[in-house]
Every structure is written in structure tokens, then in C-alpha cells.
């Protein structure tokens, strides 16, 4: 079964948890975002359907360059008078946002810790090899909905060397692993980026809900 994939995303943004008006981006794909991407790929709407799955995330090639743009963003203000109506003329204004371009990612999936009858690893393999056998809707994005990917396929050696995100409590890379949609609170983990001669277990990231 295929368990090493190549993902190509021409332009995306991974907003930092503390970002407000200026939308800074994480420099690497957060595990929480990659898990959501995989669920979207297989057409799964239940975020908890494959908890316990382990994923490994690697970067291929040079670090993606960061661009800074100005874009219009909506700012919702809630009150009893407005009742959910937000005219663009009143609640939109220009803000800066960071973008990552030409992002190439390697992904591994291990479902040995799942309880699902049909695991995420199996569903991803089916989606890549025989996409006509899955049912999904909408564009396939990595990050926000506009950040559509060029595609996902099995990794080939000619795609380039992989540097993996490795769990490291003293690492300088902090990324969200799980975000609670109701409370917006998240579980974070620290990483270092490392090129490995042989794949090691420290690259596996377990997706589990907040406790």
C-alpha cells in the first residue's frame, strides 16, 4: 500500500494562532491543517473520524519564499441590531497577509493506532490510486479554501530530498496539532526540521483531540 505521498501547493497561508490584523503565516504546514486536508481528500466531514492516526510531514526543496500582500478582509461585529448582517462597505478593510509560494510537501500516514473499520491510510490510498471510488465535494485546499493544491500523488525519488518535521521539546518550530472548533483552543507541539538517512519514529505526529 502506498504510504508516502507528494503534495504540490502553489500558494497558501497558515495563519499563526496569535495573528490578528496582520495575518502572519507559519512557515511549515501545521499537522492540524494537514489532517484536515486528508479528511477533505477522502470526503470525510467528521473531524474525529480518524483520531489516533499518525502523520509525518516533510518539506521538499528550498524553504518556500514568503510574500506580503494587501487584501480586503471582513471584520464581523456582533450585536442584536445587526443580527448576522455584515455589509461589506462597513465591515471590510485592507490588511496585510503573508503567503507561502511553491510549497512542496511529503506526507506519510500510519493508521495502526486508529479504531476506524476503514482507516484513513486506506482511504487516502484509494483516493490517490482510484479517485472515482470516493465521494467528496469542493476544491482540495491546503489551508484556507482559496489555497488549492495542484494535486497529490505517490512520491518519486526525483521529486527531491525530504526534510522531516521531527518532534523535539526544545525545537524552535511550534505548530498546532489539534484545534478545538468550539473553544478555538489548540494542542501545540515543538519540532525541528531534519533530513534523515532512515525514517525515524520521531517524525510521527499523533492526531488526538484536546483533553
Amino acid at each position: 500500500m502506498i504510504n508516502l505521498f507528494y503534495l504540490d501547493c502553489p500558494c497558501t497561508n497558515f495563519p499563526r494562532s496569535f495573528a490578528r490584523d496582520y495575518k502572519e503565516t507559519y512557515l511549515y504546514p501545521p499537522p492540524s491543517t494537514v489532517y484536515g486536508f486528508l479528511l477533505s481528500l477522502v470526503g470525510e466531514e467528521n473531524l474525529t473520524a480518524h483520531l489516533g492516526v499518525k502523520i509525518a510531514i516533510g518539506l521538499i526543496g528550498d524553504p518556500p519564499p514568503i510574500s506580503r500582500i494587501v487584501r480586503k478582509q471582513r471584520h464581523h461585529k456582533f450585536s442584536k441590531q445587526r443580527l448576522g448582517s455584515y455589509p461589506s462597505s462597513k465591515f471590510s478593510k485592507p490588511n496585510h497577509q503573508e503567503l507561502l509560494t511553491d510549497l512542496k510537501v511529503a506526507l506519510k500516514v500510519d493508521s495502526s493506532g486508529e479504531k476506524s473499520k476503514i482507516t484513513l491510510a486506506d482511504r487516502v490510498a484509494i483516493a490517490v490510486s482510484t479517485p472515482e471510488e470516493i465521494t467528496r465535494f469542493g476544491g482540495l485546499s491546503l489551508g484556507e479554501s482559496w489555497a488549492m493544491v495542484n494535486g497529490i500523488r505517490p512520491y518519486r525519488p526525483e521529486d527531491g530530498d525530504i526534510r522531516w518535521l521531527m518532534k523535539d521539546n526544545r525545537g524552535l518550530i511550534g505548530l498546532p496539532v489539534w484545534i478545538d472548533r468550539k473553544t478555538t483552543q489548540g494542542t501545540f507541539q515543538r519540532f525541528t526540521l531534519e533530513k534523515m538517512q532512515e525514517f525515524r519514529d520521531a517524525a510521527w505526529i499523533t492526531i488526538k483531540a484536546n483533553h
Side-chain angles (χ1 to χ4, degrees):
M1 183 178 67
I2 302 169
N3 72 339
L4 178 56
F5 302 95
Y6 171 87
L7 172 64
D8 180 11
C9 186
C11 185
T12 188
N13 166 268
F14 307 121
R16 290 182 178 270
S17 55
F18 56 76
R20 293 297 180 264
D21 288 348
Y22 178 53
K23 289 290 184 74
E24 293 182 73
T25 182
Y26 291 109
L27 302 183
Y28 311 98
S32 57
T33 301
V34 173
Y35 175 64
F37 164 81
L38 293 173
L39 293 184
S40 176
L41 172 66
V42 303
E44 179 58 64
E45 297 182 64
N46 181 2
L47 289 177
T48 64
H50 293 287
L51 291 181
V53 69
K54 293 189 288 187
I55 59 177
I57 304 169
L59 262 63
I60 299 172
D62 296 328
I66 301 175
S67 305
R68 293 171 178 85
I69 65 169
V70 177
R71 61 174 290 190
K72 184 171 68 174
Q73 295 180 6
R74 299 192 67 177
H75 294 258
H76 291 182
K77 296 179 181 292
F78 295 91
S79 73
K80 293 182 179 180
Q81 290 75 26
R82 297 189 182 97
L83 297 177
S85 177
Y86 313 108
S88 297
S89 59
K90 291 186 178 180
F91 300 110
S92 294
K93 67 177 183 179
N95 275 325
H96 288 89
Q97 182 176 21
E98 292 183 343
L99 301 178
L100 297 178
T101 52
D102 197 24
L103 178 66
K104 296 177 175 61
V105 180
L107 297 176
K108 288 175 72 74
V109 183
D110 178 0
S111 288
S112 59
E114 278 190 58
K115 296 181 179 179
S116 303
K117 292 182 179 179
I118 304 178
T119 68
L120 184 57
D122 290 336
R123 295 177 71 180
V124 169
I126 292 170
V128 173
S129 60
T130 51
E132 67 275 9
E133 294 187 18
I134 67 167
T135 300
R136 63 176 310 279
F137 58 90
L140 185 60
S141 303
L142 182 66
E144 298 180 343
S145 59
W146 55 265
M148 298 182 67
V149 303
N150 285 333
I152 180 172
R153 58 166 172 77
Y155 170 84
R156 303 166 187 154
E158 58 267 29
D159 290 328
D161 294 333
I162 304 171
R163 291 174 297 147
W164 295 96
L165 286 171
M166 310 287 289
K167 295 195 298 290
D168 182 351
N169 291 335
R170 301 180 66 181
L172 300 179
I173 303 170
L175 296 171
V177 175
W178 176 265
I179 301 295
D180 189 310
R181 293 292 182 88
K182 294 181 179 180
T183 65
T184 70
Q185 293 181 343
T187 300
F188 286 74
Q189 213 158 40
R190 305 200 70 81
F191 302 89
T192 54
L193 200 62
E194 181 180 330
K195 181 180 175 181
M196 297 182 285
Q197 295 298 324
E198 294 184 3
F199 188 84
R200 301 204 314 272
D201 286 345
W204 286 121
I205 306 160
T206 303
I207 304 298
K208 53 186 177 182
N210 296 343
H211 294 292

